[in-house]
Structure formats: C-alpha cells, structure tokens
C-alpha cells in the first residue's frame, strides 16, 4: 500500500482553517491523507479525533519544540492561523528544514497571510487606483517590509528561495459570511470572520453604525466557501504537477472576487440595525479617535479598517479557481450577521484581534 500524505494543519478551530479542513475531509483523496491538527482546546481535540478521524495534538503555537516537530513530520504544512506570529513561523520552518536535510524531501508549505499587507494610509478619505495583481511579481516585491503580515511572509518566501521547501502564500481579502459545515455544527470551528463582525460589534456597542473617516477607501472581498475552494484548487494543482504551479515569489494567490467601500459595509450594518429596531438612523457617522482606540485597540488599527486594499487574484484563477460569490452577496449577508451577533452576550472591547507583542 502506498504511504499516506502527511499533512500538518493549524487553525482547525478557526474560521478559515475549519472551512479548509472540512473540504479536506470531503476530498476524493481523503483516504490517502494523514492529517494532524494542532489545537489548544482539549475538548475540541477529542471531537476532532472521535468524530472526524483527525489526529489532534493539544498545544499552543508558542510551544516551539512541538510546532517544529509536527512540521518536521509532515510533507504538507497548511498554516491557516496566525499570519503574524514570527516565532511560530520560525518553528515551522526549522521543522521543514530538518525534514529536508534528513529525508531529502521537498516539503510543501501553504501559508495564510492577508491582503492587509496592501493597506495604505487613506484613513477612509479616498479611493486609491493602486490595484495589486498577484501575477505582477515586481509589484508584490515592492510592498514595504514594515507592512502588516510582511515579516512572516518574507520568512516563508525565503524558505523557498533557500530551497528547503516549496512555499505558497494565500492572502485572503475581506472574507465574509457565516460559514456552515460539519466542524462548525460539532462546535469545533469558529463560524465567523474578523472584519465585518468587528464593525458590527463596534456598531452594537455604540448603538449606531460607524465608519472610519468617510469610508471611501475600497477593499477586495471573498466568500468563505470560495476561500476554502482556493486552498483545495491550489493543493490539487501542486500535487498534480508541482512544476506548473508558481511558488516562492511567484507563489502568491490573492483570494478576491469583488470590491466594496468601507462605507458600504457600515451602511449595510446601519440599515440592519434600523430594521432590527436597534437603532433609528442607518447613516454611519465617523468613529472618533477615542472610539477607534476603544473598539479597534488603537488609532492605528482603526485606520487599518479605513484603508484601500485592492487586488486581483489571477494566479489562482489560472489554476482553475472559479469563485462564485460576489460583493452583492457580501452586502446581503450583513443583516444576518447583525441579527446573530446582537443576540449574543456583548463582549468587552477592543473587538479587533490586533497582534500580541510576543508574536513579533
Ligand atoms: N477572516 C478574514 O477575513 C481574514 C482575512 C485575511 C487574513 N486572515 C488571517 O487568516 C488567519 C486565520 O483567520 P481566521 O479568520 O480563520 O481567524 P480565527 O477564526 O480567529 O482562527 C484563528 C485560529 O488560530 C488559532 N490560534 C490562534 N492563536 C493560537 C495559538 N497561540 N495557539 C494555537 N492556536 C492558535 C485559533 O485557535 P482557538 O480556536 O483556540 O482560538 C483558531 O483556530 C489569521 O491570521 C488572519 O489574520 C483572515
């Protein structure tokens, strides 16, 4: 019997990671996969093992030795969590280098970054005409080292340049909608995204939708099901013919299928709040500086939610990725999100996850 493909997957309990793992468990080749997930919740680990046949190791990304050894044990690493954790990525890369040196294997690393690396300083005041195309390598190379996610992305690409791993980076844009799949139903994976739920939680806390600046900046967007498909299309293409799939500097795969202004999101939240009787005015006034610090964690993270992040995902489309959902679906999805989040016990702000200092 041929040996199985060893896959080390992170973020199984998360929004993107859960959606991708659900796809892998439904993949025609699932019987040939030996999937190991690193999760920090022991109860969720038990469910993954007992109900889904996924080997689940309980642990935290800060446990470098554990992360290194799990990466060393896998031909494929799918990092679907923590786009900004430098020590965690260094541990993954040490593991892959050891594997390469010991076995002569050329492991595959598919890493999740984010289109936040394209963010400008528009502060909601204007639409930029800068659009990043993932087939334009020089344009991608021009992103400053100080951009969000860039420190980890450069480590990943460098592993490919050094030649001990083949690396692929998926920077999703604004991923949206409440996702449904068996891992969510089993209580293992998070069904919600980050950006729109953050704007909704801030709006509910101030009892009126809000916008950063004038909300004029434009961001690309993509449905969670299309994002999950992108990873599978990419994985299948790599397995079928690795020489035909761009990697390293040529291995950037933006996930996008449309664009919205930040105002569109805020206005849709405002309209949903009026329809649900939570607010009387659908217009979103600008967040004050104090509100940005309170709801987003800092003024800087507030401005981040008013930036232009425009891109085109032509590289994944060239591999056969066919995203189905459009920005219209994104705007329509907001009412249900507002309704569901408004029924949950309110959380303490800030609502934006930010980047913990220990991850640098
Ligand atoms: N959602 C978007 O629109 C979007 C867009 C672009 C980029 N991204 C990036 O994609 C990544 C995943 O996003 P997401 O929306 O799927 O987020 P999410 O739902 O919050 O998932 C995060 C995952 O990472 C795990 N995790 C975080 N810190 C950990 C640690 N120290 N040890 C072990 N596990 C840890 C979480 O585990 P727990 O369940 O235990 O918390 C969870 O499985 C993030 O880096 C995000 O910045 C997301």
């Amino acid at each position: 019997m041929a040996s199985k493909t060893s896959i080390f997957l992170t973020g199984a309990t998360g929004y993107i990671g859960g959606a991708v793992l659900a796809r892998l468990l439904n993949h025609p080749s699932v019987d040939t996969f030996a999937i190991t997930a690193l999760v920090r919740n022991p109860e969720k680990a038990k469910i993954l093992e007992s109900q889904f046949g996924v080997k689940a190791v309980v642990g935290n990304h800060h446990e470098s030795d554990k992360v290194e050894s799990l990466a060393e044990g896998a031909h494929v690493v799918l990092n679907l969590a923590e786009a900004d954790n430098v020590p965690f990525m260094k541990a993954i890369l040490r593991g892959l280098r050891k594997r390469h040196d010991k076995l002569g294997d050329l492991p595959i690393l598919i890493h999740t970054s984010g289109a936040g690396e394209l963010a400008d300083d528009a502060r909601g005041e204007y639409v930029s005409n800068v659009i990043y195309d993932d087939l334009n390598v020089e344009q991608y190379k021009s992103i400053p080292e100080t951009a969000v996610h860039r420190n980890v992305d450069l480590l990943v690409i460098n592993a490919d340049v050094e030649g001990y791993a083949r690396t692929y980076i998926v920077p999703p844009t604004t991923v949206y909608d409440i996702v449904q799949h068996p891992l969510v139903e089993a209580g293992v994976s998070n069904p919600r995204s980050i950006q729109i739920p953050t704007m909704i939680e801030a709006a509910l806390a101030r009892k009126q939708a809000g916008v950063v600046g004038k909300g004029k900046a434009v961001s690309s967007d993509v449905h969670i099901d299309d994002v999950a498909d992108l990873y599978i299309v990419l994985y299948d293409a790599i397995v079928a013919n690795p020489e035909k799939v761009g990697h390293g500097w040529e291995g950037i795969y933006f996930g996008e299928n449309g664009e919205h202004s930040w105002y569109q999101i805020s206005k849709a939240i405002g309209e949903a709040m009026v329809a649900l009787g939570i607010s009387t005015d659908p217009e979103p006034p600008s967040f004050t500086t104090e509100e940005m610090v309170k709801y987003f964690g800092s003024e800087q993270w507030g401005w981040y939610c008013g930036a232009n992040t425009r891109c085109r995902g032509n590289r994944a489309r060239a591999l056969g990725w066919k995203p189905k959902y459009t920005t219209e679906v994104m705007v329509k999805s907001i009412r249900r999100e507002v309704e569901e989040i408004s029924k949950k016990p309110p959380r303490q702000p800030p609502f934006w996850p930010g980047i913990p200092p220990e991850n640098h």
Side-chain angles (χ1 to χ4, degrees):
M1 204 180 80
S3 64
K4 294 196 172 193
T5 305
S6 46
I7 299 175
F8 169 39
L9 182 144
T10 67
T13 57
Y15 177 62
I16 296 176
V20 173
L21 178 56
R23 287 287 198 288
L24 286 175
L25 295 173
N26 229 356
H27 193 283
S29 302
V30 63
D31 291 345
T32 69
F33 299 157
I35 304 174
T36 303
L38 177 62
V39 292
R40 54 184 168 180
N41 179 319
E43 294 307 316
K44 292 185 177 184
K46 268 189 215 151
I47 301 174
L48 277 170
E49 298 222 336
S50 61
Q51 294 183 29
F52 297 94
V54 173
K55 183 178 171 203
V57 173
V58 178
N60 194 297
H61 295 167
H62 301 311
E63 293 176 69
S64 291
D65 290 348
K66 194 177 273 186
V67 171
E68 181 180 324
S69 130
L70 287 166
E72 186 184 344
H75 174 58
V76 179
V77 175
L78 279 166
N79 181 32
L80 307 161
E82 291 225 277
D84 303 291
N85 191 331
V86 169
F88 168 54
M89 180 48 68
K90 284 185 173 170
I92 290 177
L93 295 176
R94 277 197 304 276
L96 295 182
R97 191 193 284 273
K98 276 191 183 167
R99 181 179 181 88
H100 176 71
D101 291 348
K102 285 186 193 165
L103 305 179
D105 184 29
L106 191 54
I108 293 164
L109 169 60
I110 301 180
H111 166 69
T112 307
S113 177
E117 66 187 331
L118 315 178
D120 63 11
D121 195 29
R123 303 182 178 200
E125 295 298 320
Y126 59 87
V127 186
S128 164
N129 58 8
V130 177
I131 301 178
Y132 288 82
D133 183 329
D134 55 12
L135 291 173
N136 185 341
V137 176
E138 291 312 312
Q139 186 192 33
Y140 181 76
K141 280 185 174 176
S142 73
I143 296 170
E145 281 184 21
T146 49
V148 179
H149 311 314
R150 198 66 173 170
N151 48 1
V152 173
D153 290 358
L154 292 176
L155 291 172
V156 170
I157 294 169
N158 198 43
D160 192 283
V161 172
E162 287 193 33
Y164 64 87
R166 282 256 164 103
T167 69
Y168 310 83
I169 296 181
V170 178
T173 50
T174 300
V175 190
Y176 63 85
D177 212 354
I178 301 170
V179 70
Q180 278 164 330
H181 54 71
L183 291 162
V184 166
E185 282 153 28
V188 170
S189 303
N190 166 29
R192 271 186 201 83
S193 191
I194 299 172
Q195 292 93 328
I196 292 174
T198 293
M199 299 298 278
I200 293 173
E201 286 190 282
L204 290 170
R206 77 200 298 244
K207 298 193 171 39
Q208 183 170 17
V211 71
V212 174
K214 296 191 179 73
K216 287 186 179 173
V218 164
S219 174
S220 300
D221 52 68
V222 63
H223 192 273
I224 181 64
D225 287 344
D226 286 331
V227 171
D229 284 346
L230 191 162
Y231 284 88
I232 301 302
V233 167
L234 176 58
Y235 174 79
D236 286 345
I238 297 165
V239 171
N241 196 342
E243 300 313 318
K244 287 208 167 156
V245 183
H247 56 93
W249 282 112
E250 282 83 33
I252 313 304
Y253 298 83
F254 287 128
E256 61 75 29
N257 196 37
E259 291 187 329
H260 60 269
S261 68
W262 288 95
Y263 176 80
Q264 264 179 290
I265 290 182
S266 298
K267 184 70 189 283
I269 294 170
E271 285 170 349
M273 287 171 72
V274 171
L276 294 165
I278 302 168
S279 166
T280 51
D281 185 356
E283 274 308 316
S286 304
F287 291 111
T288 62
T289 303
E290 291 72 33
E291 284 178 319
M292 288 202 285
V293 172
K294 183 175 177 189
Y295 299 132
F296 299 93
S298 70
E299 195 178 3
Q300 182 212 351
W301 284 119
W303 296 134
Y304 187 71
C305 295
N308 291 286
T309 50
R310 308 182 67 189
C311 60
R312 298 290 179 265
N314 288 320
R315 200 176 277 280
R317 285 182 173 85
L319 295 178
W321 180 55
K322 293 191 181 68
K324 294 187 276 293
Y325 300 92
T326 60
T327 300
E328 210 185 333
V329 176
M330 188 272 285
V331 173
K332 277 194 188 143
S333 73
I334 288 176
R335 164 123 185 207
R336 183 173 153 221
E337 292 237 27
V338 173
E339 197 167 356
E340 292 211 0
I341 294 174
S342 69
K343 286 184 197 148
K344 292 165 81 71
R347 288 195 305 139
Q348 281 301 312
F351 305 118
W352 188 258
I355 304 173
E358 66 270 21
N359 286 1
H360 289 276

